[in-house]
Amino acid sequence: IKFHNKPSVYSALYFGLLVSLQILFDPRIFFLSAIILFLYIVIVLDFKKIREVLRFAPITLIVVFLLHFFWIIPLLIFKFSQSVGSFGVSPSAKYFSFAQFEDAISFLHPNFPENIFGKVYFLKSEFLLIPIIAFLSLLFIAKEKIWKKKTILFFACLALVGAFLAKGTNEPFGVSYKFLFDYAPGFSLFRDPT
């Protein structure tokens, strides 16, 4: 749904098809996208735009449910908790936490370039340019309109939280990832933090 234009039934149907396609490829990425979209709507948009979005949200949800009811119904009937019971194992979170904070903030996977499981490489300094370029937008925030300021700050905070969580149980504050892994609903689906 385009937030700058007035949403319509067609854009809600189109958005429902896009969400259905994302769920088809990886439901975990949809889970993350839905949380980010919800936070964006609540934090950045004003009340009038939130009302417009919520007016067409049922159409999107109906489209998504109708396109995926063939696996949602059996999942509900045969109890969701039995089908994903092996994901919530807390020691696996520590086992899969390869990345240090410097790897996470530079968007560099610790197994890059050979991708051999468990073989962690040193940080490559050229990858530090990526976060510098990404966070450069914060220097120009004073000249922007208020909704653009909110959007830039939202995505900058989202990048920092994502980098913090991508390091897994490693320091600093690795206990927070373990706490979220054990107690936050759906968090255990992401046992490999990178």
Side-chain angles (χ1 to χ4, degrees), residues 177-192:
Y177 184 84
K178 186 178 179 325
F179 176 80
L180 289 171
F181 189 85
D182 290 336
Y183 298 109
F187 204 84
S188 62
L189 293 172
F190 304 98
R191 60 184 180 165
D192 181 1

Side-chain angles (χ1 to χ4, degrees), residues 5 19 42 88 121 145:
N5 293 339
V19 168
V42 170
Y121 292 89
K145 296 178 183 174

Side-chain angles (χ1 to χ4, degrees), residues 108-179:
L108 177 66
H109 196 283
N111 298 342
F112 180 80
E114 293 178 5
N115 201 20
I116 299 173
F117 183 75
K119 187 175 181 182
V120 179
Y121 292 89
F122 290 110
L123 178 68
K124 297 185 181 317
S125 58
E126 59 268 17
F127 281 92
L128 289 176
L129 289 175
I130 296 171
I132 290 171
I133 292 170
F135 290 111
L136 245 139
S137 62
L138 293 173
L139 295 176
F140 305 105
I141 199 167
K143 300 175 185 175
E144 299 296 335
K145 296 178 183 174
I146 187 71
W147 68 271
K148 282 189 178 182
K149 285 181 186 179
K150 281 183 173 181
T151 303
I152 292 170
L153 285 174
F154 174 78
F155 284 109
C157 291
L158 182 67
L160 287 175
V161 169
F164 177 75
L165 292 176
K167 68 176 183 49
T169 59
N170 293 327
E171 292 300 326
F173 306 111
V175 191
S176 57
Y177 184 84
K178 186 178 179 325
F179 176 80

Side-chain angles (χ1 to χ4, degrees), residues 1-192:
I1 298 175
K2 294 181 180 177
F3 296 119
H4 56 278
N5 293 339
K6 214 162 172 73
S8 65
V9 175
Y10 293 114
S11 59
L13 289 170
Y14 180 67
F15 187 67
L17 290 173
L18 288 177
V19 168
S20 297
L21 189 64
Q22 188 179 28
I23 292 172
L24 177 71
F25 287 123
D26 193 351
R28 296 176 301 171
I29 299 299
F30 164 73
F31 181 70
L32 284 177
S33 299
I35 291 172
I36 292 168
L37 182 64
F38 174 76
L39 290 174
Y40 181 81
I41 288 170
V42 170
I43 294 171
V44 175
L45 296 182
D46 60 352
F47 184 71
K48 183 180 175 186
K49 289 185 180 180
I50 291 174
R51 255 191 11 221
E52 288 178 16
V53 169
L54 290 179
R55 198 171 87 200
F56 293 103
I59 297 170
T60 301
L61 293 175
I62 289 169
V63 168
V64 170
F65 180 76
L66 288 176
L67 288 174
H68 289 284
F69 79 96
F70 69 92
W71 66 268
I72 293 175
I73 298 296
L75 196 67
L76 294 174
I77 291 173
F78 296 110
K79 297 198 171 68
F80 181 70
S81 61
Q82 293 174 352
S83 61
V84 294
S86 62
F87 284 122
V89 181
S90 186
S92 68
K94 182 152 182 64
Y95 179 72
F96 286 115
S97 294
F98 299 119
Q100 300 298 321
F101 186 68
E102 57 268 13
D103 295 323
I105 197 73
S106 65
F107 307 117
L108 177 66
H109 196 283
N111 298 342
F112 180 80
E114 293 178 5
N115 201 20
I116 299 173
F117 183 75
K119 187 175 181 182
V120 179
Y121 292 89
F122 290 110
L123 178 68
K124 297 185 181 317
S125 58
E126 59 268 17
F127 281 92
L128 289 176
L129 289 175
I130 296 171
I132 290 171
I133 292 170
F135 290 111
L136 245 139
S137 62
L138 293 173
L139 295 176
F140 305 105
I141 199 167
K143 300 175 185 175
E144 299 296 335
K145 296 178 183 174
I146 187 71
W147 68 271
K148 282 189 178 182
K149 285 181 186 179
K150 281 183 173 181
T151 303
I152 292 170
L153 285 174
F154 174 78
F155 284 109
C157 291
L158 182 67
L160 287 175
V161 169
F164 177 75
L165 292 176
K167 68 176 183 49
T169 59
N170 293 327
E171 292 300 326
F173 306 111
V175 191
S176 57
Y177 184 84
K178 186 178 179 325
F179 176 80
L180 289 171
F181 189 85
D182 290 336
Y183 298 109
F187 204 84
S188 62
L189 293 172
F190 304 98
R191 60 184 180 165
D192 181 1

